[in-house]
Amino acid sequence: MMGDIVNAVVWVLLIAGGFFMVTGSVGMVRLPDVFTRMHAAGMVDTMGAGLTLAGLCVYSLHDGTGLVAVRLVLVLAFLWFTSPIATHAVAKAALSGGTTPYTVRGAQAGAGKDARGGGAPDAARQAPADGERGVGDPS
Amino acid sequence: MNRAPWLWAILFALWLVLSWHFTPLFLFFGVVTCSIAVLVVTRMGILDRESLPLHLAWRAATYVPWLVWEIFKSNVRVARIILSPRIRVDPSIVHFRASQRTDLGRFIYANSITLTPGTVTTGIVGDDFEVHAIVQEEIDGSEENIMNRRVAQLEGEAE
């Protein structure tokens, strides 16, 4: 009985974590430029990883000595300390590489397109730097 | 406060949790490794309030759960933006002044902003923060002010 409840909680947490990971990945494709995509990537390593690890924590607390749970919390702590620094480095690199952040007004002035994903990235970059192609860019 | 013993204790606790072997050989390796690490850090002279912020530990106990809740709320907001049939984003870069007094406080605030999806700190000069927001209203609202205040509280009385 107790095992069933724990299993249900674990499943809910793992599925919720998976949901945020998939949503973040969808965002990586749908959002218009590198800066907005960073926000989607942030979802993957905050809630996606967080809920998944929480699920594993609950599982190991029920099924083991709890030692694994402590280690998983450490994994999450290190992840949450380091991932904003990586995100910041990407943002800084994009800015100093001369990427113009996508804005609604810029997109409208550029090609008359709206803030839809897909076609919008080209409107966001009036003068794309050479090295900037390929940063999560599907086109 | 002498921080070296504290650092040694924290490192050794980490060693124990990660290894979980209590044979004399492994304990000996742990003692030697932690001692070398502490020795190097003290000789470099980088062991201070900033690198080992023990004074924040007990206030962090209330800040961290609050931050996790904020992260959850903004995750849901960004997920709704991404999953809506037509993506409505209004990204912009905003400048504002942060009220933290120490570099450590600014570092915590900047990282907290970046950790909450929807806002990323792209630069700090002095107390001027440059933040990219996926939806402009996100940053104009009171949310950032609350976080700003809470980090200033966490930081406490600067030396």
Side-chain angles (χ1 to χ4, degrees), chain A residues 19-20 23-24 26-28 30-33 35-36 38-40 42-48 51 67 70-71 74 78-81 83-85 87-88 91-92 95 101-104 114-117, chain B residues 14 16-20 67-68 71-72 74-76 78-93 107 110-112 114-124 130 132-134:
Chain A
F19 168 79
F20 279 110
T23 309
V26 169
M28 292 286 284
R30 288 195 77 197
L31 290 170
D33 77 333
F35 295 99
T36 45
M38 276 184 330
H39 300 298
M43 281 177 59
V44 175
D45 49 31
T46 54
M47 272 296 107
L51 289 172
L67 177 65
V70 176
R71 287 174 181 164
L74 283 174
F78 287 126
L79 190 65
W80 280 18
F81 268 105
S83 77
I85 295 165
T87 309
H88 175 76
K92 206 75 180 166
L95 278 177
Y102 169 90
T103 52
V104 174
D114 58 14
R116 228 163 10 93
Chain B
L14 186 65
L16 288 182
V17 167
L18 291 181
S19 99
W20 213 248
L67 181 63
V68 170
I71 289 172
F72 179 75
S74 51
N75 261 289
V76 172
V78 176
R80 284 174 70 161
I81 293 174
I82 291 172
L83 293 177
S84 65
R86 281 168 59 88
I87 285 199
R88 281 199 193 81
V89 288
D90 181 14
S92 66
I93 288 185
F107 168 79
N111 267 13
S112 304
T114 307
L115 262 183
T116 46
T119 47
V120 169
T121 314
T122 50
I124 307 172
E130 185 189 75
H132 182 274
I134 193 167

Side-chain angles (χ1 to χ4, degrees), chain A residues 6-122:
Chain A
V6 171
N7 264 336
V9 171
V10 171
W11 273 108
V12 167
L13 285 171
L14 288 182
I15 289 170
F19 168 79
F20 279 110
M21 286 197 183
V22 171
T23 309
S25 313
V26 169
M28 292 286 284
V29 180
R30 288 195 77 197
L31 290 170
D33 77 333
V34 60
F35 295 99
T36 45
R37 284 174 179 169
M38 276 184 330
H39 300 298
M43 281 177 59
V44 175
D45 49 31
T46 54
M47 272 296 107
L51 289 172
T52 309
L53 287 171
L56 297 176
C57 261
V58 173
Y59 183 77
S60 79
L61 277 175
H62 179 66
D63 216 51
T65 54
L67 177 65
V68 176
V70 176
R71 287 174 181 164
L72 288 170
V73 170
L74 283 174
V75 169
L76 190 63
F78 287 126
L79 190 65
W80 280 18
F81 268 105
T82 50
S83 77
I85 295 165
T87 309
H88 175 76
V90 171
K92 206 75 180 166
L95 278 177
S96 47
T99 310
T100 323
Y102 169 90
T103 52
V104 174
R105 194 180 301 157
Q108 281 163 350
K113 286 174 184 162
D114 58 14
R116 228 163 10 93
D122 299 319

